[in-house]
Amino acid sequence: MAAASLDQSWSFRFSLLMASILAISCKSSAAFQPSVWQLAHATFYGDETASETMGGACGYGNLFATGYGTETVALSSTLFNNGYACGTCYQIKCFQSQWCYGSVPYITVTATNLCPPNWSQDSNAGGWCNPPRTHFDMSKPAFMKVADWKAGIIPVMYRRVPCQRAGGLQFSFQGNGYWLLVYVMNVGGAGDIAQMWVKGSKTDWISMSHNWGASYQAFAALGGQSLSFRLISYSTRETIIAWDVAPANWNVGLTYKANVNFH
């Protein structure tokens, strides 16, 4: 009986321990939550084709090919955060303007570009993206879903929201066998990345430095090795590992996919 009681006591304690570990794990990987609505202003750039939005300060290239499409936005530097806001998502709605379309409550856009300051113009008369202003310069197709483009500039309400992405992370390779530059795309959850590491099949984890936009670099001889990546979200600090993303015969100019993503 004593042994049975001891076994039952140990089983109960073990169950409590496992429950605690599970709770901590769930807390550390909690899904990104929407922020509160805030007031800002929005303009647009380019035309109805959104051709001028291609490329951009985040380095996503052709936004149609990389899955972002036309529902994108350039952020003022106050929001852009030196590129760490690349890939973040926002809901934007026209607010108390005669130009608002009442049929569309809001549009969800992804940050793919920077709206730079224009110090030659007043912040309230043309220099819309001058710090410390919070401003959204939307693609014209996105702007036209919430307001008449003839308005030029509109007051908006916005909030940060989780990014809904399908298909997992995408890693676009540039550089060479001794310098690997990686653009990270299709990031779900908070949409952002704070830190990144690469691991070759013959190396330990190598820290990658932030280059610009959504790109990270490693100065290491990684040619001929399969590559894995470890990433940390800027906003939630959630960590994920994407194992064996690229095969040993990887090459620059190609994009590799991993069936993992942030929550």
Side-chain angles (χ1 to χ4, degrees):
M1 292 296 295
S5 299
L6 182 62
D7 287 343
Q8 291 174 357
S9 175
W10 166 246
S11 178
F12 176 73
R13 292 177 183 178
F14 181 77
S15 297
L16 288 178
L17 176 62
M18 292 305 297
S20 299
I21 292 174
L22 180 59
I24 294 172
S25 176
C26 291
K27 183 177 180 181
S28 67
S29 61
F32 180 76
Q33 299 298 316
S35 67
V36 298
W37 288 99
Q38 300 178 71
L39 182 64
H41 285 80
T43 49
F44 66 87
Y45 69 113
D47 58 19
E48 288 85 347
T49 68
S51 59
E52 290 187 29
T53 67
M54 300 299 112
C58 290
Y60 291 144
N62 186 312
L63 299 179
F64 293 108
T66 51
Y68 294 106
T70 61
E71 295 186 354
T72 62
V73 67
L75 304 177
S76 61
S77 56
T78 299
L79 289 170
F80 192 68
N81 193 21
N82 294 318
Y84 288 107
C86 285
T88 54
C89 297
Y90 299 85
Q91 287 177 346
I92 298 176
K93 56 184 177 182
C94 187
F95 182 67
Q96 294 184 350
S97 169
Q98 62 175 328
W99 303 101
C100 295
Y101 289 152
S103 59
V104 179
Y106 57 79
I107 184 173
T108 303
V109 293
T110 303
T112 60
N113 206 352
L114 166 69
C115 181
N118 183 359
W119 296 115
S120 66
Q121 294 184 306
D122 186 88
S123 296
N124 295 310
W128 310 120
C129 291
N130 295 347
R133 288 180 63 99
T134 299
H135 190 83
F136 297 88
D137 200 17
M138 306 170 70
S139 72
K140 190 173 183 180
F143 186 95
M144 292 171 62
K145 289 186 176 181
V146 295
D148 191 325
W149 67 270
K150 295 178 182 178
I153 182 170
I154 54 171
V156 297
M157 295 295 289
Y158 77 94
R159 66 174 179 172
R160 178 100 177 267
V161 295
C163 296
Q164 304 297 325
R165 303 291 181 207
L169 293 168
Q170 298 179 15
F171 300 83
S172 179
F173 285 14
Q174 299 295 330
N176 53 54
Y178 300 93
W179 171 59
L180 180 64
L181 181 67
V182 180
Y183 294 86
V184 187
M185 300 175 292
N186 203 49
V187 181
D192 53 21
I193 294 173
Q195 294 175 271
M196 185 168 166
W197 294 259
V198 60
K199 184 185 186 321
S201 51
K202 301 176 184 178
T203 73
D204 291 327
W205 287 106
I206 299 170
S207 178
M208 304 181 74
S209 59
H210 184 223
N211 186 288
W212 66 285
S215 67
Y216 287 77
Q217 61 188 1
F219 296 92
L222 294 168
Q225 302 181 59
S226 60
L227 302 181
S228 302
F229 294 96
R230 185 170 74 207
L231 306 95
I232 295 180
S233 166
Y234 190 93
S235 297
T236 67
R237 310 308 297 179
E238 180 186 359
T239 300
I240 63 170
I241 298 178
W243 293 105
D244 297 322
V245 172
N249 62 344
W250 62 265
N251 211 334
V252 297
L254 297 179
T255 298
Y256 299 91
K257 298 181 179 181
N259 191 28
V260 292
N261 219 323
F262 292 112
H263 293 91

